[in-house]
Amino acid sequence: MAMAALVLAAGGLGVTAVPAAAAGAATSRAAACATAWGSGPKSGAATTSASLTDVRTGRHECFDRMVLDIPGGGTSGLGYHVQYVDRLYQDGSGQYIPVGGGAVIEVRAGAPSYDPETGSPTYPGQAAQPLPGVDLTGYKTFRDTRFAGSFEGDTQLGLGVRARLPFRVLQLDDRLVVDVAHTW
């Protein structure tokens, strides 16, 4: 009887053992993808007269990325506010805009989706619709995107993600970048 218990215990250990090389690879990947970004709101208070012209996304090893192209926005002249919200409501009208995913990030950029001088559209987004040209097939974190609209010089987007995960916001030349980590 004792021998049977010993054999069962040894067999159980063999099933849960992980080769050292695999454990090392998983540990180094986790270390390489470690972030200290947090999931709290992030803001920049500058203003610009530049307009949003495109929104695109990309996949990286440790995060998914959304890029808002704002030619003329510079590296520090763009105001923004990015935060997790329970639900996305369109500025001005208060209309609820459903966004798929386990959590929703509201992205507000201090740049309209139209030319302030002429009122002509500079970005083809339609209220409550997915972002034009954005295909999230194969993304680890991103699940959905929605255009909420432009109101009083700001453009509002909804980004549906798998879960409430850490994110960061970067201002690069003429671009606002939102990265959302794949894991904590």
Side-chain angles (χ1 to χ4, degrees):
M1 184 71 139
M3 182 62 134
L6 184 58
V7 169
L8 287 173
L13 289 176
V15 171
T16 59
V18 176
T27 301
S28 79
R29 183 179 182 282
C33 290
T35 66
W37 301 342
S39 62
K42 286 137 179 98
S43 296
T47 60
T48 182
S49 60
S51 299
L52 174 73
T53 59
D54 194 20
V55 179
R56 51 199 165 87
T57 58
R59 295 179 294 180
H60 295 266
E61 181 179 351
C62 302
F63 56 87
D64 289 348
R65 171 170 281 182
M66 173 182 273
V67 178
L68 287 74
D69 290 319
I70 305 166
T75 57
S76 61
L78 183 62
Y80 65 88
H81 187 78
V82 181
Q83 68 178 353
Y84 278 99
V85 294
D86 293 331
R87 301 178 92 180
L88 182 65
Y89 293 96
Q90 184 183 49
D91 281 346
S93 73
Q95 173 187 350
Y96 166 62
I97 298 176
V99 181
V104 177
I105 297 176
E106 178 183 43
V107 178
R108 292 174 181 266
S113 63
Y114 55 85
D115 182 324
E117 305 263 332
T118 66
S120 300
T122 58
Y123 178 71
Q126 298 294 315
Q129 297 301 307
L131 300 180
V134 173
D135 180 3
L136 300 179
T137 303
Y139 281 70
K140 291 183 180 179
T141 299
F142 290 175
R143 296 293 182 261
D144 191 15
T145 61
R146 296 292 158 165
F147 183 77
S150 284
F151 183 72
E152 295 184 351
D154 285 349
T155 295
Q156 180 187 24
L157 308 173
L159 175 60
V161 295
R162 179 174 46 82
R164 188 178 179 119
L165 294 161
F167 71 93
R168 70 179 174 185
V169 180
L170 307 168
Q171 285 190 51
L172 305 173
D173 284 338
D174 300 332
R175 295 185 302 276
L176 183 68
V177 176
V178 179
D179 292 335
V180 182
H182 293 160
T183 63
W184 274 98

